[in-house]
Amino acid sequence: MRPARSRARAFLAVAVAALASGGCDPPPRAARDAAASPAWAVSDAALELSAHARAMASVETAPVRRRALAREIRAVGKVQYNEAGLATITSRVEGYVERLFVDFTGVEVKAGDHLVALYSPDLVVAQQELLIALSDPRAASTIASTRLKLLRWGLTEAQVQELVERRRAHERLTLFSPIRGTVTEKLVVQNSMVKPGDVLYRLANLESVWVYLDVYESELAAVRYGQLAEISAEAYPGREFSGRVWFINPVLSEESRTVKVLINIGNEERKLKPGMYVSAVLRSPLLASGEAAPTAAAGHYSCPMHPRVLQSEAGHCPICGMRLTRIPGEAGQPISEDEKLVLAVPATAVLDSGVRKLVYVERSPGEFIPVEIATGPRAGGYFPVLSGLEPGDRVALRGGFLLDSQSQISGLPSLFFHEGQPPGPAHPGH
Amino acid sequence: MLDAVIRWCLKNTFLVVLATAVLIGAGYYALVRTPVDAIPDIGEKQVIVFADWMGRSPQDVDDQVTYPLTTSLTGTPGVKTIRSMSGFGFSMVFVIFRDEVDYYWARSRVLERMNVAQERLPEGVVPVLGPDATALGQVYWYTVEAEGFDLAELRSIQDWFVRYQLNAVEGVSEVASVGGYVKQYQIDVHPDRLRAHRVSLFDVFEAVRKSNIDVGAKVLEKNGIEFFIRGVGFVESVEDLEKIVIRQEQGTPIQVQHVATVALGPDFRRGALDKSGVEAVGGVVLMRYGENPLRVLERVKAKIRQLEPGLPKKTLADGRVSAVRIVPFYDRTDIVLETLDTLKQALLEEALMASAVIAIFLLHLRSTLVVVATLPLSLCLAFVLMYAFGVDSNIMSLAGLAIAIGDVGDMGIIMTENIYRRIAAARGEGSRFEQVFEGATEVGKAIVTAVSNTLVSFIPVFFLSDQEGKLFRPLAFTKTFAIASSVVLALTLVPLVCYHLFRPLKWSGRLTWSAAAAAGLAAMLATRAALGWTVDLGPYSGWPISLLAGVILALAFVRMTRERFLPLEENRVSRAVVALYAPALRWVLRHKKTFTAAPVLVLSAGLCVWLGVGIGEHRLLRGIGREFMPPLDEGSFLYMPSLLPQAGLGPAIEVNAKQDMAIASLPEVESVVGKLGRADTALDPAPIGMLETIVILKPESAWRELPVERWFSGWPRGLAAPLGWLWPERRRITKGEILAELQQKTAIPGVLSTWLQPIQTRLVMLQTGFRAMMGVKIYGSDLGQIERIGLRIEQLLSHVPGATDIVADRIVGKPYLEFEIDRDRIARYGVNIRDVQDVIEIAVGGLNLAETVEGRERYPIRVRYLREFREDVPELEKILLPTSSGAQVPLTQVVSIRSVLGAQEIKGERGLLVGYVTLNTRGRDEVSVVEDAERVLQAALQSGDLVLPPGYYWEWSGQFENQVRATQRMQILVPVCLLLMFVMLYLGFERWWIAPVIYFNILVCAAGGFLLLALWGANLSVAVWVGFLVLFGVIDDDGVVMATYLEGSFDRARFASVAEIHAAVLEAGLKRIRPALMTISTTLFGLMPIFWSQGRGSDVMQPMAIPSLGGMLVNVLIGIFVVPCAFCAVEEWKWKRAQRGPSAGSAA
């Protein structure tokens, strides 16, 4: 039955039967006033939401609690030689390079590997001196001094021993590598002449490398000795290297406003090459006070290749047997587990105007009040709460923006309007 | 002269018939060709100047672009007002011209001024003229959809294919894209790598800029063959960008890929589209100013049909082929056609009702045929005139025809009846030609007089100005056309047809029957053919109806041949009327004083209802509300929720999707598409938090039915069922209820909402600049103050009954991060402000520095910092600034970043800043709400509740302004026109007091109109005033007819007693009651269809018909006694006086 007809019929009925006002359909206009039940209201400076309004605004709440937080610091840096593993091969005598064993840069050498053979007239003379002295039973002191001279000039104990036993002077002197490492520089060429003090090779031990990270002033507070760092290099996507903070440069670079932080990283596979750019993430656990927790690693011993190894005594790495190195700094007091838990509010709950930070707390079901909070710097998905919230307070994780808008509209205090406006009667639901 | 015309027509049958045929043809042509629209285009002439300044804050835009632009444009000739708006990254100046200014002339004046303004604008800012359309021109919204295509692909199809194709359609000013993602080549620079490679941001910038160019190098001729030479170097892919070299270091190139990530991604966007909760890509077709939407849309749709097969296709994983489609979600055609359908149906029904009334009164088929024939012919002529005078066919002009239909019939009735009477009186003797001629000339003059009265009553409408003028003048025109046409036809065609039709027939039975059968058969075939041609019959054959038509026509034919010309008094209906009227009039004449109470009572009741009763605030009756125009039911809603200015795209999209899903869950909703932020057009300045959701409702027949509790509902079924037919126990859900439900479902805290309709909104926006029915504009010079006042007003207004959706602009509510550069510090590093600003601009904001050229498509190339290096303040501080030494320092060394609150958009008008408080009304009329609101504000100002610093003021604006202005004009024009009518009446009668009596009757009937208005719950709008004017004309006519006859019969008579006077009045009354009743009935019943039509547009028509209906009812019950009663009383009094003093009698 169409309303058009029904209206017409009703009209006729009224006209014909002269019924003043029987059952005439109410004009549609009247229905427009059908008031919607309020979707929200204001009571006692709090915003009350109906279940529907709450669902529409996707308001989701969760209690704030203490949790372990770690602040992440991202930094970039450059791979450098481990300064402790650098070596230079220097000639101590004058001579001529007869034979180059290590004849290009980049050769890996082990400790004791021959590097170069020199013809040195001085050395031959000295050897002869020793041999002469040997044949002279009275010259024990000469033997000792000549022997010492030969050793100082670069002959090894074995070479001297051989000389003594064989009684024959070596025409050439072979120089051996004192350390394990990589030839990073070769300064001699075949048949060149060397003088005492000339550098022949430079070696570097790449078994562990150092990464210098540039850390901004503002983040420095969170960097501690012994902190673990995860390093990724562009060359090896997806691969992470780990190391420990070994050193924090005492001087800040004026130009870039950064401080160099040194990370010691094992590099057995020689993947990290000095000069490479890497980026690093430092994870710094936070204390309840919002400060970075001491790592408790300072003063302890660790393996550069396996930074997870942390011992209070010097010794060898249980994994690779490498000698452990001491992390600089004084050993601090260990911190309790309790202290490591920080009152944290999810970052999605915090409305930040740049000046103030606000969260909406559900005082009782469906009733929200804005609470101004003070937080530390963001740590992952959370902010450490310094003040304003108590553990167990339910905060709105989502929909905070809409709650704040409604507060503002209703004249309640809100993010941008501290005191709110004098509350007028709300016109709920419109 | 009239006589000569009538005579000529009677004599030249062929020419008149030919003219009629031509008229029918011309009428059909005019009907088809007249431009059609829903409502007259009452939009203002608006020219928009738009200037883009990407990424700049409103404050910068206002200071550097909007202000210089506005000041340059001030003083342009023909300008009514200039409004401006500075948004995020763009400036818009709306120059509104006076109505009489030619639109394109206005545009070129603006262009002239812009050339001057250009010099004062910052480099790179080029103001352009907005499309030659207004927001009202948003006639067609569509989405581009396909399964398996992502939003960027769809947007590319829309941007590069669909858009330009549709834009090329004649009458389309612009096609704007909205939603989805614009594809963009994104070079995301990694600051650490910049540092590592010792490359600065500008190096990257420069390198990219130099790497995207094609050149031509003239030609090469080889053995007479000419080759064109072309250097090819446009960027075509991500790889091309990656390989751009920035610098080389000892043979090692440093390329873009070494310092940045290059990817295809979405461009920064300030708008999105959501269809039922899912993101979509779409567009809007903007119609050129002054075009006809129906025609433009026809062409657009034809173009879409043409495009559709060529749209991209894709084979999905499961083997199905998915093709891109263009799906409309708002189509102005629908409402135009539906509105016109309603009106046409109402017109048809009116004509049928009027014919039925005539048939019943005359009980003579041949006369009925004559009168009925004049109805469509008058309309035909009216349409021809409309076409000739350029009056569009729309709800207003057709309503003019609809309310005129009673009058149109009257002319034919008067003429036919008089001729009939003549012929009947002659009883078949004498020359029929002379009888017809005399019959026609006798009333010819009366008809012309009556019509001139009616036309005079309509003069005020012609004198309306501005919007109300644009709105109602078409109505006045068409009504005048229709009535004039009917007069012309009554004087020319009617006598002729009467002459030929009113001949006594002496056909034999067989001849009659065979002729009837032939006519019936012809009618049947014609009906069937017409049905088959025009209507889609579906499974019905259409034959039964055709057969019925044939039979009816055949019977009517037979009846016509048998009809005799009986004197009217012997007519059964006449006798019934007389039987009812005579005793009533007799009673009235005997109890004149008692009777007087009735009209006085009605009059005072009408006055009370109109103006209200009560003392001060305690009112018994509120009085009739006032509004500009009853809103046209557009069958759709425009839901405009707005988020606070600090809202980002994320929450806006989420709110939009949620609300759309909630809206779509209502069974009455056909489709819902929400737009947030801007479409890419100068006509859409919406900020990101401004949502516009178009909700299209299903046709009313698909709405839910709700049970209604009736007084008989508890009764047994058998008893209740028949009553249920009169008072149905189920009713359809009303639009108001749907709205209430939608409001409840979409309520989201923190979202301010406004519910209006699309066309309505665009109209108001054009007139006032805001998106609500009305509002307060607060002018001043400081945004903070304006906002404070606005928020206070918002609170104050919430007390005003009937005011809803009160929203004050949150002007200063957008958080800004300000990078304040320390000049001392930058000096230390040897950099300039500009260098720092460039870094901020490029690194943080990103800069589109070139465009790829890929066939027809163009995509921007953008350089910006990687997202994670610019997402939060601490990261922003670390942005690298290249210094003169080549080292790069973090930005924090030279700038301090502050968070402050600023403006989201800055609006200006008349050189001052302006803020709005907008509101709508519900359940109350606009004007009263505004008056109440103004009172509240003034009271607050007095009491100090509202503080208005010097230099600040507020002003109301909205459609009610039109109502106020129209009322002011009407207040002058209506009395003038009434006076004119009075003078005409006075001159028309010898007795001076007849004019006041008729006037009194008019007022009584007007009171009836007010009473019905109150009962119906309608507000007093300009439309209603127009309805009253119609009523005045009709009542005036009736009174004149009655009084003329009375005067005529009294002039000849001398009376011996009061009883004789009574008898004379009675006799005259009885003579005239039939035509009077007939005209009243045609008007009354002719208007009925308007009331029971529920289609689109009926809401606009009804208020116009209410006064006529109410007035006519009162006229039937009381009015028809007033003139005889007064006449009788005066004559009696004069007679008595003459009896008492015979000497004085002669003086009367």
Side-chain angles (χ1 to χ4, degrees), chain A residues 118-194:
Chain A
L118 294 179
Y119 164 69
S120 170
D122 291 350
L123 203 63
V124 173
V125 170
Q127 286 183 45
Q128 295 297 351
E129 267 175 35
L130 182 64
L131 290 178
I132 291 161
L134 278 174
S135 54
D136 183 356
R138 294 166 300 152
S141 64
T142 320
I143 294 172
S145 67
T146 323
R147 202 186 158 96
L148 195 62
K149 185 159 82 183
L150 282 175
L151 285 175
R152 289 274 148 79
W153 275 356
L155 260 63
T156 57
E157 194 74 43
Q159 283 171 319
V160 175
Q161 200 56 43
E162 198 196 334
L163 178 73
V164 172
E165 281 162 19
R166 289 238 203 124
R167 301 290 169 113
R168 201 162 67 86
H170 292 280
E171 279 282 289
R172 294 170 185 166
L173 169 69
T174 307
L175 295 181
F176 296 97
S177 169
I179 58 160
R180 185 186 165 92
T182 307
V183 176
T184 56
E185 225 173 323
K186 185 195 88 148
L187 298 165
V188 284
V189 287
Q190 187 75 31
N191 294 333
S192 64
M193 183 199 170
V194 292

Side-chain angles (χ1 to χ4, degrees), chain A residues 7 25 58 76 257 353 406, chain B residues 192 654 658 750 893 899 1094:
Chain A
R7 180 109 74 89
D25 275 345
S58 355
V76 289
R257 308 305 300 177
S353 72
Q406 187 54 43
Chain B
D192 296 331
E654 194 186 325
K658 279 231 153 119
Q893 290 303 303
S899 173
Q1094 285 253 300

